[in-house]
């Protein structure tokens, strides 16, 4: 929701400056990357079981907001989505007659700790996906166990998110331990172990994104392997941009 609030602000600013292409890119980037690639995959289990009002609340507002933000660019599709899914609850007959989205206060204020935990969750997810990719494993390939070592300030938050992390990483079990200022992940699959040092230091409650490419050159027929060195890769941008 904090990222959704940022997207609303940036898209609105671009539109006010007549930067229409930049506004659309901003919204589409949030939709495809933040919402589809990450949030839906991470929260999928909670959404399926229907026992998480928080996940349903987040998904409802994310989809409603994206529909409104994209309405100036794809008016017919967003109208169909809005009238079919949101018109009754939102109180308007058309998306083009509805109010422009505004972030609610709870989405941003006092959320520094939640953002830090959320960034760490994305770091772990991204690291495990990349490790599997480097070993030519499917994203759905199971891992026996994952150990996440993280700064004490975010450990409890990561433990609360353990179910989501187990689901998105396909780990059999997952444990969170207090570590240094870096987030360190260990996973096991195909008899090989990788240590993913992400250097995601905490500063003022916000996680710095220093993601690294891991597993370069890891042989597929080895036994237990500890990857003590990681090669930098070009970052795709801060997770909270």
């Amino acid at each position: 929701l904090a990222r959704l609030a940022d997207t609303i602000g940036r898209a609105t600013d671009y539109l006010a400056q007549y930067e229409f292409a930049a506004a659309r890119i901003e919204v589409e980037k949030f939709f495809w990357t933040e919402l589809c690639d990450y949030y839906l995959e991470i929260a999928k289990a909670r959404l399926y079981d229907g026992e998480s009002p928080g996940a349903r609340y987040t998904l409802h507002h994310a989809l409603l907001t994206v529909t409104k933000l994209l309405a100036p660019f794809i008016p017919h599709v967003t109208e169909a989505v809005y009238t079919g899914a949101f018109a009754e609850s939102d109180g308007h007959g058309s998306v083009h007659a509805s109010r422009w989205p505004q972030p609610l206060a709870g989405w941003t204020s006092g959320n520094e700790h939640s953002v830090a935990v959320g960034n760490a969750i994305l770091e772990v997810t991204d690291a495990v996906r990349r490790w599997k990719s480097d070993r030519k494993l499917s994203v759905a390939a199971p891992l026996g166990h994952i150990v996440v070592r993280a700064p004490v300030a975010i450990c409890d938050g990561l433990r609360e998110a353990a179910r989501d992390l187990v689901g998105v990483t396909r780990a059999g079990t997952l444990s969170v331990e207090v570590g240094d200022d870096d987030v360190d992940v260990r996973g096991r699959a195909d008899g090989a172990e990788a240590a993913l040092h992400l250097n995601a230091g905490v500063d003022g409650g916000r996680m710095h994104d220093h993601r690294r490419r891991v597993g370069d050159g890891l042989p597929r027929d080895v036994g237990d392997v500890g990857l003590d060195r990681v090669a930098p890769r070009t970052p795709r941008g801060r997770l909270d941009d």
Side-chain angles (χ1 to χ4, degrees), residues 119-121 123-125 127-128 145-152 154-155 158 165 174-187 193-202 207 210 212 214 226-230:
N119 282 344
I121 292 171
E123 292 280 7
V124 174
T125 301
V128 172
H145 182 69
I146 288 180
V147 178
V148 180
R149 298 184 181 93
V152 64
I154 61 173
C155 279
L158 288 174
L165 286 171
L174 180 142
S175 59
V176 178
E177 301 175 357
V178 175
D180 299 325
D181 289 339
D182 296 344
V183 175
D184 177 83
V185 187
R186 284 187 175 269
E193 184 179 272
L196 316 180
H197 299 286
L198 302 180
N199 296 325
V202 177
M207 298 293 293
H210 300 294
R212 297 290 186 268
V214 299
L227 298 184
D228 297 324
R229 299 181 60 189
V230 292

Side-chain angles (χ1 to χ4, degrees), residues 114-136:
S114 297
V115 170
V117 174
N119 282 344
I121 292 171
L122 297 191
E123 292 280 7
V124 174
T125 301
D126 198 40
V128 172
R129 285 176 174 177
R130 186 159 297 279
W131 185 77
K132 290 181 178 181
S133 175
D134 289 339
R135 287 182 52 78
K136 296 181 172 56

